[in-house]
Amino acid sequence: MKKLFCCFLLFVFCFNELSAQKKNYFSIEIDADYYHYVVANAKNRFNYGSSLLISADIARIKVSSGINWSKEDSYYTDKPTSSNNFFEKRNYRVRFLNIPVLVKIRINQLEKIKIGIVSGLIYNKLISSHITSYYLGQDRKSTRLNSSHANISYA
């Protein structure tokens, strides 16, 4: 229920934007994000992030760029067999630093409420990645993965 309420609040605040000033060309925005990932048989934990964006409004177009940090945790369980080295559960902890460049095109004509479509590119840098495996007999192995990966994604 808590996750559903958080998703609803994020949808409401991200879907529209209220403006109290008539001539608001530049803005600094702080937001909170919720992430849900679908990866094979993995189950999500509560994944979140936060952003600091600097934006410029030009007519019906808003251009934003800034920095975003995200936490992505998931796990999956399996029946221990020799083919999976007898592990029962595996936890994944991943942290990203993202630099978005976003463009929002306003689709309504209202002065105070701005509703639009957002698209852009995001540079993703992997900060840290850990895998913790729980084996039969309560043995545990924690592995830190190489964190030199980076990519560009489409939003």
Side-chain angles (χ1 to χ4, degrees), residues 62-65 99-105 117-124 152-155:
K62 180 178 187 176
V63 179
S64 302
S65 185
I99 300 173
V101 177
L102 304 171
V103 176
K104 177 179 179 181
I105 301 173
I117 298 172
V118 179
S119 183
L121 295 175
I122 302 172
Y123 172 77
N124 311 105
I152 295 178
S153 59
Y154 176 73

Side-chain angles (χ1 to χ4, degrees), residues 18-82:
L18 297 175
S19 177
Q21 300 173 349
K22 284 188 176 185
K23 304 284 184 187
N24 189 10
Y25 296 113
F26 294 98
S27 63
I28 297 175
E29 303 167 14
I30 298 172
D31 68 19
D33 309 315
Y34 171 74
Y35 302 101
H36 183 80
Y37 295 95
V38 179
V39 180
N41 297 333
K43 295 178 179 71
N44 280 280
R45 299 203 187 274
F46 186 69
N47 298 316
Y48 57 88
S50 60
S51 300
L52 175 65
L53 297 173
I54 298 173
S55 302
D57 258 333
I58 306 163
R60 295 181 73 153
I61 297 174
K62 180 178 187 176
V63 179
S64 302
S65 185
I67 194 162
N68 170 274
W69 175 85
S70 63
K71 167 194 148 323
E72 304 162 15
D73 291 349
S74 62
Y75 69 95
Y76 73 92
T77 57
D78 203 354
K79 293 180 182 177
T81 64
S82 60

